[in-house]
Amino acid sequence: MADAKQSHLNGAYYGPSIPSTKSYHRPGRGGGGGGCFSCCCGCLCSCIFNLIFQIVLTAVVIVGIAIVVVWLIFRPNKVKFNVTDATLTEFNISTPTNTTLYYNLALNMTIRNPNKRIGIYYDRIEARAFYQGQRFAATDLQPFYQRHKNTATLNPEFKGQNVVMLGDSELSNYNSEKSSGTYSIDLKLYLRVRFKFGLFKSPKFKPKIECDLKVPLESNGQTSSGTFETTKCHFDWKLRLVDF
């Protein structure tokens, strides 16, 4: 009995065993090497965006400073176009068709370049004449170079006949102007120009000049409705680059 009790005590019983615990890692959720990789990618992208932003900002600042410096050096002023004289000896629409316009118009123009350090190359000058929105004549003028602080002259002439499509309203306006002896004629110059800044020459641009003229008809050297008045032209300074 004693031996059996002693044997039981020697194989001591301390209750049921406690199961062991194991930790499991679920890929893609927090911690581990993946988090470190994501952090590195985020830092790299942030650095690239910051670098690009700094480069663009620096370029904008440099271009802005260059423009200001050029403006301070050259102080560009607007070129002035004026029609100083106009002679109209024929302006008649044929009847009964009312479609053919016979015309003879001579103009004198001045171009004033007021800039001290900027020259202008007029590589192409096309003059077009319009009546009530209808173009009836066009001519090309001689290209030239205009020095700084200089006034140049142009002498476009339009003579001939052309078909114009005028409606009832336009024909009514024509008859009114025929009675008054003064016609509303629009002159437009289509230019291709380059600017010379010292040794530097700009690309070609395409400004447009518009002149709204009131031209009296002249007969035998005299006009029945007064004389032509010098007309200031409008400068469309939208610097459209020539694409060839």
Side-chain angles (χ1 to χ4, degrees), residues 43-213:
C43 292
L44 180 61
C45 291
S46 178
C47 290
I48 292 175
F49 287 136
N50 287 336
L51 179 60
I52 293 175
F53 175 77
Q54 291 178 6
I55 291 174
V56 172
L57 181 61
T58 302
V60 171
V61 171
I62 292 174
V63 171
I65 293 175
I67 292 174
V68 172
V69 170
V70 170
W71 185 85
L72 290 174
I73 293 175
F74 294 99
R75 301 270 182 167
N77 294 306
K78 197 172 184 179
V79 180
K80 299 177 181 179
F81 289 74
N82 292 285
V83 179
T84 57
D85 191 26
T87 302
L88 182 66
T89 56
E90 184 179 14
F91 203 76
N92 184 48
I93 294 180
S94 64
T95 56
T97 59
N98 291 329
T99 57
T100 303
L101 174 66
Y102 297 86
Y103 54 88
N104 190 348
L105 172 66
L107 303 173
N108 293 332
M109 298 187 65
T110 61
I111 307 175
R112 176 63 182 173
N113 178 13
N115 295 286
K116 296 180 179 180
R117 298 179 177 88
I118 301 176
I120 306 173
Y121 289 93
Y122 296 89
D123 295 321
R124 183 180 178 183
I125 309 172
E126 182 186 5
R128 300 179 185 178
F130 294 80
Y131 182 67
Q132 299 196 72
Q134 297 285 320
R135 186 178 76 173
F136 63 86
T139 184
D140 290 325
L141 304 178
Q142 185 69 30
F144 68 97
Y145 170 73
Q146 185 176 29
R147 297 178 292 104
H148 56 275
K149 302 291 287 185
N150 176 264
T151 300
T153 59
L154 297 178
N155 306 105
E157 296 184 5
F158 309 96
K159 183 179 181 179
Q161 64 185 60
N162 205 350
V163 174
V164 292
M165 305 302 295
L166 302 180
D168 293 338
S169 177
E170 289 81 5
L171 286 173
S172 177
N173 291 336
Y174 166 77
N175 290 326
S176 296
E177 292 187 339
K178 185 176 182 179
S179 299
S180 67
T182 300
Y183 295 90
S184 301
I185 299 175
D186 297 326
L187 173 71
K188 296 182 181 181
L189 298 181
Y190 294 83
L191 309 177
R192 290 185 181 177
V193 302
R194 290 173 294 154
F195 302 99
K196 183 179 179 182
F197 307 89
L199 299 177
F200 173 76
K201 296 178 184 178
S202 75
K204 289 185 179 181
F205 294 97
K206 299 191 295 184
K208 182 174 66 175
I209 314 301
E210 297 183 359
C211 315
D212 303 325
L213 309 178

Side-chain angles (χ1 to χ4, degrees), residues 215-232:
V215 187
L217 182 66
E218 182 177 304
S219 179
N220 298 323
Q222 296 182 346
T223 61
S224 59
S225 57
T227 58
F228 177 81
E229 296 182 0
T230 298
T231 303
K232 182 179 180 180

